[in-house]
Amino acid sequence: MPRARVLPHARVRAVVVAALLAPLAACSPSASPGAPDSKVTPSADDRPVTVTVTPTGEQVPAGAPVRVTAAGGRLTSVTVTDAENHRLAGKVAADGRSWVSDRKAVPGAAYTVTAATRTEGGTAKSTRAAFTTAPADKVNKVDWRPGADATVGIAQPISLVFDHPVKNRAEVEKQLKITTSNGTEGSWGWISDWSGKDRVDWRPRTYWKPGTKVTLNAELNGTDSGTDGGWFVRDYTTAFTIGARQVVKVDLDSHRLTLVRDGETVRRIPVSGGTPGGDKRSWRGTAVLMAKEGTVNMNSETVGLGDAYDKMVDHSMRLTWSGMYAHAAPWNARYFGKANRSSGCIGMSDADAAWFYGQVRPGDPFEITGKDTKGVVAPGNGFGAWNLSWTEWQQKSALR
C-alpha cells in the first residue's frame, strides 16, 4: 500500500491562499485584459457653463442693449464687437451671472459676442455667439450749434435741430450728455425751430461764466426717434469755450446801443430800430447773436415785407431767423439816435458798425427794450430761450 506524502505546513498554507485568491482575481475588472475602460463622470461643480445671448438670430430689431447670462458658473468677461471692431462696453454683474451693454445695438450691424466663463469647479472656457440687426428704414440726422472749438458769448445755447420728428423725446434726451469745467447748472428744453422742425436746446440757468469749457456728447447711435422719425445711426460731439462777459443793451426808446464788457461800458452807439406801428417794428427781449455774416443781400420779400428793399448790407450780424439783424445802415443816417425808421433791424453808421462787428462774437446777448415792438423773441426764432424764466424753461425738458 503506497504511503501518502506529507506536505510541510508552510506549503499547505500557500496552496490554500492561492486557491482562495484565484477566483477573486478572475472576477476583478482590472485583472481582465479584454475589459473596456471605465467612464469618468465630471463632478457637479465642473459641468459646462450655459451661456445665453440676447438678441439672437439674423436681422433682429435694433435699439435694445445686448444681454448675456450664465447658468451653472460665472462670466469673467464679455466682449461685443461689430464688423468694424467697434465695441459695446458693459460690465459683468457682481454675482457673475449677467452682463448688459451700456449702449444699444445699432441698425444694420453684425455683432460677435465672446463670453469668458469659469465653472463652479474652476475650469475656464470661452463661448462665442453672433447676431445681426436689421438696417434702418429711415435715418434721422442732426444739425447742431455751436461748432467744435469755437469761443462763444455768455448766452450761447447748445442747439440740436432734427431732420425728422422726434416722438421719443425722453429716450433721445437721455443720450445727450453735457460736461462743463465748473459744474454749470442747466437744462434741455424741447421747442419748435423757426423752420418748423423739432429742436432741443440746452441753456444754463443764468449766463455762462467766462472761461467755462463745455462738451456735448450726443450718444444717439441706435436710438429710435419714434413714429415717422427714423433711427439715429451716428453719435455727435462738440466742444467749445465761453469768452468774455459781453452784454449788448439796446434801448429802442432812446435809440442807443451800449456794449458792456465785464460790467463796464465800452461804448455807446446811436442807432435806429424798427419803424413803429406795423410789421416793421423790431423784436424786444433777449436775442442772441447767431452769426456774423458780413455783407448780405437783404430782400424784403424774404421776410414778408413786399418790395420795400433789396440791397447789399455790410457788417451784418444775425439776431433772429425771421430776419432781424444789427448792421450798417448809412441810408438811415439822419435817424441814428433820434427815431426808429428801419424795417425791423438795428441800424448804425458804417464806422460804428465796423467797430462793433469787430468787438462782438456769436453767443453775445442783445437785451432789447422798447415800448413799440412786435413782442418778445420766441424761443425758436434764433436763440430766444432766455425770454423764458428758469422754471418755464425746465418744464420743457422731456425728463421733468
Side-chain angles (χ1 to χ4, degrees), residues 280-292:
K280 292 184 179 182
R281 291 175 294 174
S282 298
W283 294 103
R284 71 174 184 275
T286 299
V288 176
L289 179 55
M290 301 177 66
K292 296 164 65 174

Side-chain angles (χ1 to χ4, degrees), residues 91-370:
K91 186 177 181 180
V92 175
D95 62 3
R97 304 296 182 182
S98 63
W99 180 96
V100 181
S101 65
D102 297 333
R103 299 286 303 274
K104 300 170 183 177
V106 305
Y111 288 101
T112 300
V113 182
T114 304
T117 60
R118 191 174 299 277
T119 66
E120 301 293 353
T123 300
K125 189 178 178 181
S126 182
T127 301
R128 290 170 67 88
F131 67 92
T132 64
T133 54
D137 55 355
K138 189 174 187 178
V139 174
N140 206 346
K141 297 180 181 179
V142 179
D143 177 43
W144 72 97
R145 295 172 182 241
D149 302 322
T151 297
V152 296
I154 59 174
Q156 176 70 52
I158 301 163
S159 184
L160 285 71
V161 180
F162 303 94
D163 275 4
H164 302 304
V166 179
K167 303 297 184 184
N168 297 339
R169 291 184 171 185
E171 289 302 310
V172 169
E173 192 174 327
K174 287 176 184 176
Q175 304 306 119
L176 308 177
K177 314 294 183 185
I178 300 294
T179 304
T180 69
S181 59
N182 53 18
T184 301
E185 180 184 6
S187 176
W188 290 103
W190 290 86
I191 57 179
S192 177
D193 186 62
W194 187 257
S195 64
K197 295 181 178 180
D198 284 346
R199 172 175 147 191
V200 64
D201 286 7
W202 194 96
R203 53 151 278 201
R205 181 170 186 167
T206 58
Y207 289 154
W208 293 100
K209 180 180 179 181
T212 303
K213 296 186 181 301
V214 188
T215 300
L216 163 68
N217 283 311
E219 298 179 340
L220 292 171
N221 197 1
T223 302
D224 182 9
S225 300
T227 306
D228 297 327
W231 290 88
F232 295 100
V233 296
R234 59 163 290 190
D235 295 336
Y236 300 85
T237 186
T238 188
F240 57 95
T241 303
I242 307 302
R245 183 177 183 82
Q246 291 195 145
V247 178
V248 181
K249 296 181 179 294
V250 181
D251 186 338
L252 295 175
D253 293 335
S254 65
H255 320 295
R256 289 288 186 278
L257 176 155
T258 304
L259 176 62
V260 180
R261 181 180 299 140
D262 297 326
E264 300 293 330
T265 297
V266 178
R267 188 166 175 176
R268 290 187 176 89
I269 296 174
V271 297
S272 180
T275 303
D279 291 339
K280 292 184 179 182
R281 291 175 294 174
S282 298
W283 294 103
R284 71 174 184 275
T286 299
V288 176
L289 179 55
M290 301 177 66
K292 296 164 65 174
E293 298 181 3
T295 300
V296 174
N297 175 235
M298 294 192 181
N299 187 316
S300 56
E301 293 181 351
T302 64
V303 292
L305 293 178
D307 59 355
Y309 58 87
D310 183 4
K311 60 184 67 178
M312 302 302 292
V313 179
D314 294 332
H315 308 301
S316 298
M317 296 159 273
R318 180 181 284 275
L319 298 175
T320 70
W321 283 127
S322 62
M324 182 177 176
Y325 285 79
H327 60 72
W331 56 88
N332 255 0
R334 66 184 181 278
Y335 298 118
F336 297 151
K338 300 175 182 177
N340 294 321
R341 289 294 183 272
S342 80
S343 295
C345 294
I346 300 166
M348 61 197 85
S349 71
D350 280 327
D352 284 339
W355 176 87
F356 184 63
Y357 191 90
Q359 299 298 310
V360 294
R361 58 166 51 95
D364 285 346
F366 280 57
E367 297 177 350
I368 306 168
T369 59

Side-chain angles (χ1 to χ4, degrees), residues 61-101:
V66 179
R67 300 179 183 275
V68 182
T69 59
R74 295 171 58 87
L75 296 166
T76 55
S77 69
V78 174
T79 303
V80 180
T81 56
D82 64 15
E84 297 178 356
N85 208 35
H86 297 145
R87 295 182 61 173
L88 284 182
K91 186 177 181 180
V92 175
D95 62 3
R97 304 296 182 182
S98 63
W99 180 96
V100 181
S101 65

